[in-house]
């Protein structure tokens, strides 16, 4: 049989390529129709999908998952130290493999924590199907109810030891036995209650969506929770090391973020156990309209606007005994305070001492609080009187600021201090420039039994312009000249109405040289004999009366302010102030009698009289000749 020789291959060239097998396959594929290629791919994918489905079905049919819920409960109890109870479980294949667990309950009695859910969904992943066990549980709790003891949340602000104790409990939530490494627990639309049933302070949050991830190998606990509401969402997230990760004494990264009600706060730093748990890092908070309610002051721009958030930043270092805040900065708009703060443990409470300095502190919030001492109809409020801005915290704050506003009163180069304890509060203007002079003031409040409070007020103003003081305090612009003012008062009561009624004390106003504005008393004296006193008064209006001295001493008894020696001395005349101011009724009932310093017979020595009457902060002046008639 003859053997026929195969024809030789054509030489490589631009048409045939280089002889590479891969290039040959590409040329062959290029000659195939596109539809045929797609058909081949679709067939391959269908075969793979069918094979994978058969594999999954085979794994489901050959694995017994009935014991998985009990195994998961045992692991959770060993890892967390809590108690787990579950109801019946059912394996479902569609839309994805999962185990439906009814009536789940988890409890840690020493923490007062209890979680219940009517339904739990345990998702099965590929590795779970392969080995027939759930090593990385992914559990979603539906219709969950979480009960937290109010004492746990109170611990956050109760003391440094309470806060670090809470972090200790969170980092120790899992024992580190690697029973649940990679576990994910999700709460879907849960209700969270803080406090026990029937507690008037009980707080209920809903709906809350939360997610917890435990990574034993990395030694991390990651947690996020959000209360979804249209207008006031609240969110918290944290990434903390586990207790086992902290055992070596090395610093581990940690972060906590809080947000809600237009405000936010965050900590980013490290946790360390050496031997006590301590944290160190940066804090950053942006507080909307809350800082002023906390301490009664706000930062504001020079134009007086205070509608921007307050931002607080600093470097924090703290352990159970306390710590400090370095590079502390408190800013709002163009105003700022900077300084340092020390944080201590004092009888189970926070004790914060701070020294701050800045360019502007605005007391608008404190002024608004004073305005709220009166009701809408102008009477004194009967609500409990409490000026302690933070009763759960002991504060010792010293402020130095270029400007301080308290309503209309604008102080310069002010040194302020705030001191509070559990049942005591003290606010002081240690030194400040005001109206061309200096001013010092101190208000202290001590709480006694059954809500009663003792109040003491001291005020000293030296060489201040009387026109500015009376205009800003009472809306009166009748006196001009440097004044020296001293006031000491004390009272007790449960409300500002009671405190005003029980007010007692003394005070004085001294002026050496000045003017009475709006009236020329010398012109009035020359026309004192006119038949119509009103005409004489009109002729004297618009002028000024120079005086040599004003000396007013007054006493306060049961809320009544009564002059005990009040005279005005001018070159040709003198004046005497009589009557009283009724603080509980907020009424003025005063009179001024003008007298010639030299007798001019047959003219009477007392030639004119005024009444000062009407509301406390809006007095009215009018002539009243009948006062002279009654004195003759």
């Amino acid at each position: 049989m003859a053997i026929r020789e195969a024809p030789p291959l054509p030489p490589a060239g631009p048409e045939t390529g280089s002889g590479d097998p891969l290039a040959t396959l590409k040329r062959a594929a290029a000659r195939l129709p596109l539809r045929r290629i797609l058909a081949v791919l679709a067939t391959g994918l269908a075969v793979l999908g069918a094979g994978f489905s058969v594999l999954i079905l085979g794994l489901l049919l050959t694995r017994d998952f009935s014991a998985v819920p009990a195994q998961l409960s045992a692991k959770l109890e060993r890892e967390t130290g809590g108690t787990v109870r579950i109801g019946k479980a059912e394996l479902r294949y569609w839309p994805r493999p999962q185990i439906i667990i009814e009536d789940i309950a988890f409890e840690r009695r020493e923490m007062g924590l209890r979680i219940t859910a009517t339904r739990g969904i345990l998702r099965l992943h590929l590795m779970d199907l392969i080995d027939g066990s759930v090593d990385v549980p992914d559990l979603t709790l539906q219709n969950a109810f979480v009960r937290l003891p109010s004492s746990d949340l109170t611990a956050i602000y109760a003391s440094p030891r309470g806060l670090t104790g809470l972090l200790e409990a969170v980092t120790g939530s899992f024992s580190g036995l690697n029973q649940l490494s990679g576990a994910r627990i999700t709460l879907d639309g849960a209700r969270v209650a803080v406090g026990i049933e029937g507690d008037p302070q009980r707080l209920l949050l809903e709906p809350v969506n939360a997610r917890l991830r435990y990574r034993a190998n990395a030694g991390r606990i990651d947690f996020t929770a959000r209360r979804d509401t249209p207008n006031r969402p609240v969110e918290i997230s944290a990434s903390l090391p586990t207790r086992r990760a902290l055992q070596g004494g090395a610093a581990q990264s940690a972060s906590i973020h809080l947000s809600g009600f237009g405000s936010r706060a965050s900590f980013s730093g490290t946790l360390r156990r050496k031997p006590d748990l301590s944290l160190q890092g940066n804090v950053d908070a942006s507080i909307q309209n809350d800082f002023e309610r906390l301490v009664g002051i706000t930062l504001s721009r020079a134009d007086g606007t205070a509608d921007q958030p307050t931002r607080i930043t600093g470097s924090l270092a703290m352990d159970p005994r306390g710590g400090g805040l370095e590079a502390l900065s408190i800013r709002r708009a163009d105003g700022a305070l900077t300084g340092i703060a020390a944080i201590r443990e004092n009888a189970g409470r926070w004790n914060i001492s701070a020294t701050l300095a800045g360019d502007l502190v605005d007391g608008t919030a404190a002024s608004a609080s004073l305005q709220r001492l009166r009701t809408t109809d102008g009477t004194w409020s009967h609500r409990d009187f409490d000026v302690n801005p933070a009763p759960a915290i002991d504060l010792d704050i010293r402020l130095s600021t270029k400007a301080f506003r308290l309503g209309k009163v604008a102080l310069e180069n002010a040194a302020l201090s705030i001191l509070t304890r559990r049942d005591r509060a003290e606010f002081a203007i240690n030194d400040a420039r005001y109206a061309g002079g200096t001013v010092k003031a101190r208000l202290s409040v001590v709480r006694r039994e059954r809500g009663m409070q003792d109040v003491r007020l001291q005020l000293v103003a030296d060489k201040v312009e009387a026109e500015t003081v009376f205009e800003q305090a009472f809306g009166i612009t009748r006196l001009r000249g440097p004044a020296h003012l001293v006031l000491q008062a004390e009272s007790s009561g449960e409300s500002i109405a009671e405190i005003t009624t029980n007010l007692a004390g003394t005070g004085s106003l001294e002026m050496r040289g000045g003017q009475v504005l709006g009236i020329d008393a010398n012109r009035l004296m020359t026309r004192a004999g006119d038949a119509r006193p009103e005409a004489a008064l009109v002729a004297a209006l618009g002028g000024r009366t120079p005086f040599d001295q004003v000396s007013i001493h007054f006493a306060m008894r049961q809320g009544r302010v009564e002059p005990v020696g009040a005279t005005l001395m001018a070159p040709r005349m003198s004046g005497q102030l009589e009557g009283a101011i009724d603080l509980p009724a907020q009424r003025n009932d005063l009179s001024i009698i003008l007298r010639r310093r030299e007798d001019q017979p047959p003219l009477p020595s007392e030639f004119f009289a005024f009444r000062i009457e009407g509301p406390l902060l809006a007095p009215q002046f009018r002539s009243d000749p009948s006062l002279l008639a009654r004195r003759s």
Side-chain angles (χ1 to χ4, degrees), residues 25-362:
L25 287 176
K26 290 181 178 180
R27 291 194 302 274
R31 298 189 186 98
L32 292 176
L34 179 59
R35 290 185 178 179
R36 188 172 179 183
I37 295 176
L38 294 177
V40 171
L41 292 176
T43 302
L45 292 175
V47 172
L48 289 176
F52 185 76
S53 300
V54 171
L55 175 62
I56 296 298
L57 182 60
L59 291 174
L60 288 172
L61 295 176
T62 57
R63 298 290 188 268
D64 182 12
F65 290 97
S66 60
V68 167
Q71 295 172 358
L72 180 60
S73 298
K75 290 181 180 180
L76 191 60
E77 288 183 344
R78 287 194 297 270
E79 190 72 37
T80 64
T83 302
V84 181
R85 295 183 179 85
I86 59 174
K88 66 177 183 177
E90 177 186 356
L91 176 63
R92 294 186 181 180
Y93 305 98
W94 185 260
R96 58 173 295 177
Q98 57 189 12
I99 299 176
I100 306 300
I101 307 174
E102 306 292 341
D103 299 328
I104 301 176
F106 172 80
E107 185 174 18
R108 285 192 66 174
R109 292 186 177 180
E110 73 279 6
M111 294 179 58
L113 171 65
R114 179 176 175 82
I115 303 174
T116 58
T118 59
R119 179 185 175 94
I121 302 175
L122 180 63
R123 292 178 175 84
L124 302 178
H125 301 281
L126 179 59
M127 294 304 299
D128 302 329
L129 300 177
I130 291 175
D131 61 12
S133 63
V134 179
D135 298 320
V136 184
D138 187 352
L139 178 64
T140 298
L141 301 179
Q142 297 179 340
N143 298 323
F145 180 75
V146 182
R147 189 191 68 193
L148 296 171
S150 59
S151 58
D152 278 0
L153 292 186
T154 304
I156 295 177
Y157 58 84
S159 67
R161 193 173 301 277
L163 176 59
T164 55
L166 183 62
L167 291 174
E168 182 83 51
V170 174
T171 57
S173 298
F174 297 91
S175 64
L177 298 175
N178 208 18
Q179 298 285 319
L180 298 172
S181 180
R184 293 179 175 87
I185 300 176
T186 303
L187 301 180
D188 187 9
R191 293 185 303 140
V192 179
V194 182
I196 61 176
E197 190 76 30
D199 185 354
Q201 303 297 326
R202 188 172 187 250
L203 177 64
L204 182 63
L205 302 175
E206 59 178 338
V208 174
N209 297 322
R211 184 176 180 86
L212 172 70
R213 186 184 181 190
Y214 168 54
R215 295 176 289 160
N217 294 332
R220 307 294 302 176
I221 300 173
D222 302 317
F223 173 77
T224 61
R226 178 180 175 86
R227 177 200 179 197
D228 286 317
T229 56
N231 54 350
R232 287 188 171 183
V234 177
E235 187 170 358
I236 177 174
S237 62
S239 179
L240 301 173
T242 61
R243 181 178 296 175
R244 173 160 292 193
L246 294 169
Q247 286 181 349
Q252 302 290 333
S253 62
S255 63
I256 303 173
H257 301 274
L258 302 168
S259 64
F261 303 97
S263 303
R264 62 172 179 80
S266 65
F267 168 82
S268 179
T270 60
L271 288 182
R272 181 194 298 265
R273 184 191 304 281
K274 207 174 182 181
D276 294 326
L277 189 68
S278 63
L279 63 158
Q280 184 170 358
N282 297 323
V283 294
D284 189 339
S286 178
I287 303 176
Q288 189 86 30
N289 300 327
D290 289 340
F291 181 71
E292 57 197 46
R293 288 195 291 268
L294 175 64
V295 298
I297 61 174
T298 61
L299 297 176
S300 175
R301 291 186 295 194
D303 59 7
T305 59
D307 57 352
Q308 298 190 21
T310 300
R311 187 179 182 189
I312 305 173
T313 59
S315 178
L316 173 67
M318 190 171 66
D319 60 26
R321 293 173 296 277
L325 267 171
E326 300 288 340
L328 177 60
S329 173
I330 306 173
R331 297 181 179 275
R332 186 167 194 163
D334 295 336
L337 290 172
T338 58
I340 59 174
I343 304 171
R344 302 183 185 89
E345 166 88 10
N346 181 20
R349 292 163 53 85
W350 288 96
N351 184 290
I352 301 177
S353 300
T355 300
L356 302 170
D359 53 4
L360 179 64
V361 178
D362 184 8

Side-chain angles (χ1 to χ4, degrees), residues 591-593 606 609-611 624-632:
S591 61
I592 300 177
I593 308 298
E606 295 177 344
F610 296 94
R611 278 197 179 274
D624 189 353
S626 64
L627 294 173
L628 299 179
R630 287 198 296 267
R631 295 168 65 90
S632 59

Side-chain angles (χ1 to χ4, degrees), residues 584-596:
Q586 301 185 56
R587 301 292 299 179
N588 291 287
D589 187 11
L590 297 169
S591 61
I592 300 177
I593 308 298
L594 300 182
R595 179 183 293 106
R596 292 180 175 86

Side-chain angles (χ1 to χ4, degrees), residues 389-408:
I393 303 175
D394 294 339
L395 297 176
D396 187 359
I397 299 177
R398 292 165 297 280
L399 301 173
S400 297
T401 176
K402 292 182 180 179
F404 174 71
R405 291 192 183 93
L406 184 61
K408 295 182 179 181

Side-chain angles (χ1 to χ4, degrees), residues 500-518:
T500 304
T501 302
N502 298 328
L503 190 65
T506 59
S508 66
L509 172 67
E510 298 284 347
M511 299 180 65
R512 300 290 181 178
Q515 295 176 331
V516 178
L517 304 179

